[in-house]
Amino acid sequence: MKPIALKLALALSLVLSNLLYQTAHADATPAGHDKLRIHTGMPRKTSDSLFSYTAEWRIDDGEIYRSTGLSFLNAAKIDSATPAAQITKKLLTSMKDGMIQLDPNWRGITLSQPQDQAELLISNKAGYSLTTVTVRDYSNQALRFDLIDKSFSADGVQVGLDLVFAADVEYLDGFSSKKALTASQGEIQIVIDDQKPVQIKTDGKTTRELEQEIAKALISSQLSETPLYPGMVTKDTRNNKPFDGSEVQFLNLAAKSIAIDISDPALGVLMKFKYKDENRSVQVAEPRFMLGVLALIVIVTIGYFWRRNAKKPA
């Protein structure tokens, strides 16, 4: 076959390949597309107790970055006249401090305290999107979470609730008493939207037993033995704990808010929010039978020019 015929066949196959295989790039994520509002409360525990949250985001079609804010709260050191908004401000400052180590071009979220309320708002910048937010509270404060104007299911945000022992971050070998393996005494209250509160007594139960009760009481939830997403992002195990084997998950929560209030000093809670990750390039291909059509077209083209060339006199 003459070189021109081979080149023509190759060109045809390339054109067809480009038609069959395309890369679909998602549009740039607009600012404020992904949000989480955290309504904070006053800590009740009269010892230094951890409150932290980690936000993770992606540059559109690019790398994932994260930042953690970490605070210690002690009800015994807080004046009773202190407004709850002051606690929120401290939590906001801790996250902003955690972002200082990132290059400004990598800071894909904004953090704000609307109108100096006891509310902390996490929102994506244009060209970035939230992937996960994890809130860890060991201070026994009442917390409520919402997306402002959407339900979790409508926005495709999955929710996880993992009860943990406060001793996991408070216990120091050789300096504290033996780590407790069960709750002490208190209550867990969960409210979804304006529904009737679900109340669970904690007395002497394990975290798994408590999670089982919660999952049974809330028909929109399920008990899972696999985490909604991996929780360990650093080697700082005083803050990022290994998964303990179970958590309550809301994979399709048709509600605009979820609130949790724990009064047992032996317990803490990890609230997890997993967002859609739609801003990555997606390879789009036609069904496999189209590959056969492409191959047949190329073979026929090559055969045609080969026979045409063979019929010509030498």
Side-chain angles (χ1 to χ4, degrees), residues 54-57 65-66 122 129-134 228-230 233 272-275:
T54 298
E56 182 181 87
W57 61 90
Y65 297 93
R66 65 177 61 91
I122 304 173
S129 62
L130 278 172
T131 55
T132 64
V133 177
T134 305
L228 189 61
Y229 52 82
V233 295
K272 303 178 180 181
F273 302 87
K274 183 179 181 181
Y275 292 75

Side-chain angles (χ1 to χ4, degrees), residues 161-179:
L161 186 162
D162 189 5
L163 295 175
V164 291
F165 290 117
D168 287 340
V169 295
E170 296 172 349
Y171 174 78
L172 291 176
D173 190 22
F175 293 90
S176 303
S177 58
K178 186 177 180 181
K179 186 187 295 187

Side-chain angles (χ1 to χ4, degrees), residues 54-84:
T54 298
E56 182 181 87
W57 61 90
R58 181 192 299 280
I59 296 178
D60 279 356
D61 198 30
E63 296 296 320
I64 287 180
Y65 297 93
R66 65 177 61 91
S67 181
T68 295
L70 189 151
S71 299
F72 285 92
L73 305 174
N74 189 330
K77 298 179 181 179
I78 299 175
D79 191 293
S80 59
T82 301

Side-chain angles (χ1 to χ4, degrees), residues 10-305:
L10 290 174
L12 180 60
S13 65
L14 288 173
V15 170
L16 290 172
S17 295
N18 287 331
L19 290 175
L20 294 175
Y21 292 91
Q22 302 174 14
T23 301
H25 292 275
D27 294 333
T29 307
H33 179 270
D34 303 321
K35 298 177 182 177
L36 180 67
R37 181 166 58 183
I38 308 171
H39 302 259
T40 59
M42 296 296 289
R44 298 194 194 94
K45 197 178 295 186
T46 55
S47 60
D48 289 339
S49 303
L50 176 69
F51 183 99
S52 74
Y53 53 113
T54 298
E56 182 181 87
W57 61 90
R58 181 192 299 280
I59 296 178
D60 279 356
D61 198 30
E63 296 296 320
I64 287 180
Y65 297 93
R66 65 177 61 91
S67 181
T68 295
L70 189 151
S71 299
F72 285 92
L73 305 174
N74 189 330
K77 298 179 181 179
I78 299 175
D79 191 293
S80 59
T82 301
Q86 283 296 107
I87 303 300
T88 310
K89 185 176 182 180
K90 180 177 181 178
L91 304 179
L92 176 68
T93 301
S94 71
M95 179 61 112
K96 288 184 175 180
D97 290 344
M99 291 181 66
I100 291 176
Q101 60 182 325
L102 295 176
D103 184 280
N105 293 324
W106 299 343
R107 300 171 192 172
I109 59 172
T110 59
L111 303 156
S112 60
Q113 185 179 0
Q115 301 177 339
D116 292 326
Q117 299 296 310
E119 301 174 3
L120 193 155
L121 178 62
I122 304 173
S123 181
N124 72 294
K125 293 181 179 179
Y128 304 79
S129 62
L130 278 172
T131 55
T132 64
V133 177
T134 305
V135 178
R136 312 171 189 85
D137 177 51
Y138 297 86
S139 68
N140 288 166
Q141 65 174 289
L143 296 169
R144 181 161 61 89
F145 306 88
D146 64 60
L147 306 180
I148 298 182
D149 55 357
K150 296 180 182 179
S151 69
F152 293 99
S153 58
D155 213 31
V157 177
Q158 299 177 333
V159 182
L161 186 162
D162 189 5
L163 295 175
V164 291
F165 290 117
D168 287 340
V169 295
E170 296 172 349
Y171 174 78
L172 291 176
D173 190 22
F175 293 90
S176 303
S177 58
K178 186 177 180 181
K179 186 187 295 187
L181 300 177
T182 59
S184 57
Q185 188 175 30
E187 188 176 81
I188 299 171
Q189 177 174 281
I190 299 174
V191 181
I192 295 178
D193 281 348
D194 296 321
Q195 299 174 18
K196 182 180 178 180
V198 169
Q199 295 177 323
I200 306 290
K201 291 290 185 181
T202 64
D203 306 12
K205 299 172 186 174
T206 66
T207 55
R208 185 181 181 90
E209 289 171 339
L210 291 168
E211 289 165 353
Q212 287 174 332
E213 287 191 45
I214 292 171
K216 185 177 180 180
L218 296 171
I219 58 174
S220 57
S221 68
Q222 66 180 42
L223 186 69
S224 177
E225 295 184 351
T226 58
L228 189 61
Y229 52 82
M232 291 290 289
V233 295
T234 71
K235 294 181 179 180
D236 178 16
T237 56
R238 293 291 307 282
N239 182 33
N240 297 281
K241 304 307 299 177
F243 182 58
D244 61 7
S246 66
E247 69 182 23
V248 180
Q249 295 179 356
F250 305 80
L251 303 183
N252 189 30
L253 182 59
K256 290 188 175 181
S257 70
I258 181 170
I260 183 166
D261 189 357
I262 299 176
S263 62
D264 189 329
L267 292 176
V269 63
L270 274 59
M271 293 297 299
K272 303 178 180 181
F273 302 87
K274 183 179 181 181
Y275 292 75
K276 286 184 177 179
D277 193 5
E278 297 179 320
N279 60 342
R280 303 185 69 181
S281 292
V282 180
Q283 296 295 324
V284 179
E286 293 297 325
R288 289 185 177 182
F289 75 88
M290 292 301 292
L291 295 177
V293 174
L294 172 62
L296 181 61
I297 292 174
V298 172
I299 292 172
V300 170
T301 302
I302 293 174
Y304 169 76
F305 284 104

